[in-house]
Each structure stands twice: as C-alpha cells, then as structure tokens.
Amino acid sequence: MKIMIVVGARPNFMKAAPIIAAIRKHNDETSRYNIGLPNQNLAEMIDPILVHTGQHYDKLMSDLFFQDLKLPAPDIYLGVGSASHAVQTAEIMRKFEEVLLREQPDVVVVVGDVNSTLACALVTAKIPFRPSGKRPLLAHVEAGLRSFDQSMPEEHNRVLTDHLADLLFVTEESGVKNLRAEGIPIDRIFFVGNTLIDSLLTFKGKAAASTILDELHLRRHTNLGDSTDGIAWYAVLTLHRPSNVDDREAFLNILHGLEELASEYPVLFPAHPRTRKRIQEFSFEHYFVVPSLTISNHGIRVIDPLGYLDFLSLMKHAKLVVTDSGGIQEETTCLGIPCVTVRENTERPITVENGTNTVAGVSRTKIQDAICRQLSRTVKNSVPELWDGKAAERILAVLIGNGQFPR
Ligand code: UD1
C-alpha cells in the first residue's frame, strides 16, 4: 500500500511526523510477523512517500524541523516557495499533479490548513489514474476546525479541503459537530485525537535537553522573578497572521497592548520572516530591545525563529504565551501554560473550554486585560479527550482498513 503524505509549511511538519513514525512502526512489526510465513500469507508493508511542497523553505522554517522531529528527507521536493495565494496554490497544483500521476499512491494524506493542504487536496480529488480511472483516497488530518471567519485564508483552506476529503480525521469534538452541520456523512468522520500533541508528548523529554534557556540568559537569574527552579519569569510572543502584522495600525495596537507586560518581564519574540520584514518596513525597531549578551529584565526581544525542541522548551517554562498561532493554543493547553490569543476568534474552542487559552481580541485594552487575568489566574486545565499521543496510530488503523490491499 502506498501512502503519500504532503507537508509544505512549518506547522505541517509536527502534525505529519507522528504518521510517518506510525508507518515505520507498522512496517517493523509487519516484517517481524512475516518472518517464516509462506509468501501468500505475508501481511502488507506500507510504502510511505513524503512530499514537501517547499511553501516554507528557509533553514529555520523547514530543515531544522526535519532534524528535530527525526523526519526522513522528503522523497519529493516541489520547491514552490513564496508567492501570492493564487500563484502559490496554482504552482503547487501543477507540480503535484505530475507527482501523483507518476507515483499513483493508494492514499494521499494532507494535514492542517495551509495553501499546500488545499492545493494537493484539490488535485487528488480530481485526478483520474489511467487505465482504471480510479483516484487515490484523500485523507485530511485536523479536519472540521472552524473559526467562521471568512477573512482568514486558512478558513477557506479548511472548508474546501474537508469537502473534498474521503476520510476526515478530527482533533476535537467541535470538529465533528461542524462537519455534520455542513452535511458531511458521519461514516467519513473519525475523531482520533491530535497528531500535533502526539509530537509534543514524544519530544517533550528530548526538549528538556535544549540549551535555549541558557542561550537566552533565562536561567539562574533569580533577580528576574520569584522563580524557584532557577529559571527567570518570562513571556513568549509569536505573531505572523497577515491581519495582525501586515496592517501597520493593527500591529501597533498589539505592541501597545503588550507594553505593560514588557515593562515587567522579558518577552521573547521568535519572529516569523513575514513579521521581521514588517518591523523594518514600518520602522518599528524602537519597540524592541536589542538582543545582547547581557540579560535584560524587561522589553520585547526579537530573536530568530526557533527549532521545534528549543521552542517547546521555551514554551514549557514560560509564565505566559501570547500568540496568534493555532497550534500554540493547543500546545500551551497540553503543557498547562496560560495563553493569550491575539485574534477575534479561535477554530480550536476546546483550548478555551478545557485548556489554558483565552481569546483576547486585538485591541490594546482587551489584550492588556487578558494578559492581566491570565497572569493572576491559577491554572486549571484538563487535557482534551484523546490528546494522548496515539492519534497517528488511530489514523493509520483507519487508513489500512480503507486501503485497497486485502486484509
Ligand atoms: C503560512 C500559512 C499559515 C501558517 C503559517 C505558519 C497559508 C495561507 N498560510 O503562512 O496558515 O500559520 O504558514 O508559519 O498557507 N517566508 C520566508 N521563508 C520561508 C517561508 C516564508 O522568508 O521559509 C516569507 C516569505 O517572504 C513569504 C512570507 O514569509 O512571503 C509568508 O509565507 P507564506 O508561506 O506565504 O505564508 P505564512 O505567513 O508563512
């Protein structure tokens, strides 16, 4: 059975890695089981094909994640790079069609909600293989999430991909409800848990060996807070949504909303390339402190994007995380770290209901209030249902059940 897994942008890598690990495990077990069996009784091995569209291509946005997550090098690299939504999507589709026709997999797995997800889903759903006229099954991992915010490119990517998919793998109960409300038949929907959390649970221990806290001078500086474990009190910030950083006024509002926090704590800000460009373009440099070898006890410090293990370590010891990312709302929920989401909505309501997340909006006062509330709250969270590190194994079990090889 050939399973093609597509990745393209940074948040895809940690969602796809557990599926590849589950395939490896399946193949190891199958080859042990097959030893000594006559040929006609051999259980089927899975041939995984990893396709990277190249939507993200920088070392810090891509290569580092392959290394940290122990992902194999992609079998096929499309090298599409950055462009407008239309050009990027079209370029991925054009190149992916050639790959599909050549490789003829049984299943194509797309993850998340980026342009690569939709582009490859659309090609898979419409391709006829010759001479059978058949096409591969299309599986969407992280199906059913809805922000109901049509101004987000990701919302279109989610809705359209879900309506093209044959198998929809859902991370939280709201996803099942949303898909049912849109008329997706129940037998296509599988509530399996969250592969992003599979990665987090797999690599949490390894992240403990990261030296990032030392590199950022966040260890053993007890003058920075009442830390009992020798780690300074600090906050983490990530911002990359076009609606937050491409608009000068919106970006400025958020920076003003963070002023109070930054006057008390160091705020570590691993900046996405898009955000870094905007800081220069808007001449916002004076809102940030210059990273230096000496520890500063306040101010927003722009640093390069971090790899997976370093970022996990940074999040795990933070007093607070402020973000506009989707995945980070889930990761902080699982780690029990208070999170303030600087958006008007979330497609991941479980992180607010069960978790540590609060959706603040984007006005200065609302951000300030939310930060204040989150800093003074006693964290009480429960890990959402099925976020237990086994989502990828459940997904693989369904894929094997639906594949074209006999069981
Ligand atoms: C994409 C996803 C978004 C996801 C985010 C995570 C879409 C529509 N958006 O947004 O859902 O949350 O990834 O990061 O798919 N750039 C580099 N190097 C890179 C990649 C990008 O410098 O490796 C720069 C380029 O100048 C590019 C800009 O960042 O124009 C934005 O990249 P793009 O892939 O278009 O979207 P993201 O904002 O990263």
Side-chain angles (χ1 to χ4, degrees):
M1 182 190 203
K2 255 191 190 182
I3 299 184
M4 183 173 277
I5 299 131
V6 178
V7 293
R10 185 169 60 175
N12 291 161
F13 306 135
M14 37 288 210
K15 295 170 192 170
I19 300 170
I20 292 167
I23 292 175
R24 277 192 195 131
K25 189 174 162 211
H26 166 91
N27 282 347
D28 282 351
E29 286 169 3
T30 303
S31 59
R32 275 203 300 276
Y33 171 82
N34 282 345
I35 291 170
L37 287 181
N39 254 352
Q40 68 273 24
N41 292 340
L42 294 185
E44 190 88 22
M45 301 283 278
I46 295 173
D47 179 11
I49 307 166
L50 181 59
V51 177
H52 186 343
T53 66
Q55 179 176 342
H56 284 176
Y57 44 88
D58 280 354
K59 190 170 185 307
L60 297 182
M61 298 293 283
S62 177
D63 302 7
L64 204 48
F65 288 81
F66 275 71
Q67 221 172 285
D68 280 359
L69 292 158
K70 300 256 170 283
L71 273 164
D75 298 292
I76 297 158
Y77 186 70
L78 305 183
V80 294
S82 304
S84 69
H85 285 278
V87 171
Q88 189 178 59
T89 308
E91 196 57 11
I92 298 169
M93 289 180 69
R94 201 178 62 73
K95 292 191 168 176
F96 188 65
E97 185 179 53
E98 286 172 18
V99 168
L100 262 195
L101 287 171
R102 192 174 67 234
E103 298 292 333
Q104 305 222 350
D106 301 294
V107 182
V108 172
V109 178
V110 294
V111 301
D113 56 13
V114 301
N115 286 346
S116 301
T117 312
L118 173 62
C120 295
L122 200 47
V123 174
T124 306
K126 294 171 84 175
I127 205 154
F129 288 161
R130 304 266 174 248
S132 66
K134 280 190 185 156
R135 64 167 181 83
L137 281 172
L138 174 64
H140 184 207
V141 173
E142 199 187 79
L145 297 181
R146 296 289 181 268
S147 65
F148 303 102
D149 178 351
Q150 302 288 326
S151 70
M152 289 180 81
E154 293 82 2
E155 185 70 356
H156 297 289
N157 293 343
R158 292 181 198 114
V159 173
L160 294 169
T161 303
D162 284 344
H163 283 259
L164 296 166
D166 303 295
L167 302 168
L168 296 99
F169 296 109
V170 175
T171 53
E172 61 169 83
E173 199 61 55
S174 73
V176 179
K177 281 198 200 111
N178 294 333
L179 293 173
R180 295 294 290 140
E182 289 171 20
I184 307 271
I186 190 78
D187 59 355
R188 289 196 207 161
I189 305 170
F190 302 86
F191 178 24
V192 290
N194 193 332
T195 61
L196 179 76
I197 302 303
D198 289 4
S199 275
L200 186 144
L201 296 176
T202 303
F203 290 101
K204 205 164 79 166
K206 206 159 178 240
S210 155
T211 55
I212 193 67
L213 299 184
D214 300 291
E215 286 164 39
L216 296 172
H217 308 284
L218 294 168
R219 227 188 257 283
R220 289 188 294 279
H221 292 281
T222 41
N223 57 320
L224 288 177
D226 288 343
S227 161
T228 49
D229 53 6
I231 297 170
W233 281 5
Y234 63 89
V236 174
L237 171 67
T238 82
L239 293 173
H240 76 282
R241 299 254 159 240
S243 57
N244 281 343
V245 300
D246 286 358
D247 179 308
R248 193 176 192 282
E249 282 310 299
F251 198 171
L252 202 55
N253 257 330
I254 295 173
L255 291 175
H256 285 313
L258 293 165
E259 264 167 5
E260 228 173 294
L261 175 74
S263 69
E264 286 182 42
Y265 297 107
V267 179
L268 279 304
F269 184 19
H272 184 284
R274 162 200 292 286
T275 311
R276 209 179 255 274
K277 274 185 212 155
R278 297 297 172 257
I279 291 172
Q280 279 174 358
E281 209 176 297
F282 300 149
S283 305
F284 279 173
E285 287 89 347
H286 59 284
Y287 286 99
F288 304 96
V289 292
V290 180
S292 70
L293 289 176
T294 52
I295 181 74
S296 148
N297 62 359
H298 59 83
I300 305 177
R301 292 158 67 183
V302 178
I303 56 175
D304 281 337
L306 295 176
Y308 183 66
L309 297 174
D310 285 344
F311 190 69
L312 216 54
S313 171
L314 194 66
M315 247 189 321
K316 187 164 174 268
H317 296 100
K319 188 93 180 111
L320 178 80
V321 175
V322 180
T323 190
D324 61 5
S325 146
I328 292 174
Q329 297 171 50
E330 299 184 332
E331 288 165 337
T332 47
T333 280
C334 197
L335 292 168
I337 304 295
C339 176
V340 170
T341 297
V342 280
R343 284 174 45 190
E344 297 292 355
N345 47 56
T346 181
E347 59 288 333
R348 292 158 161 94
I350 197 78
T351 61
V352 177
E353 291 153 19
N354 280 30
T356 54
N357 185 26
T358 188
V359 179
V362 290
S363 81
R364 173 187 185 155
T365 48
K366 284 184 175 166
I367 294 171
Q368 277 170 343
D369 289 351
I371 288 174
C372 218
R373 265 184 284 121
Q374 286 286 64
L375 281 174
S376 56
R377 79 182 253 191
T378 323
V379 174
K380 254 208 227 142
N381 73 307
S382 55
V383 175
E385 192 183 351
L386 295 182
W387 289 18
D388 58 1
K390 297 192 172 109
E393 287 181 19
R394 294 187 190 102
I395 289 170
L396 193 62
V398 175
L399 294 184
I400 291 170
N402 278 277
Q404 291 169 3
F405 68 91
R407 294 265 300 146

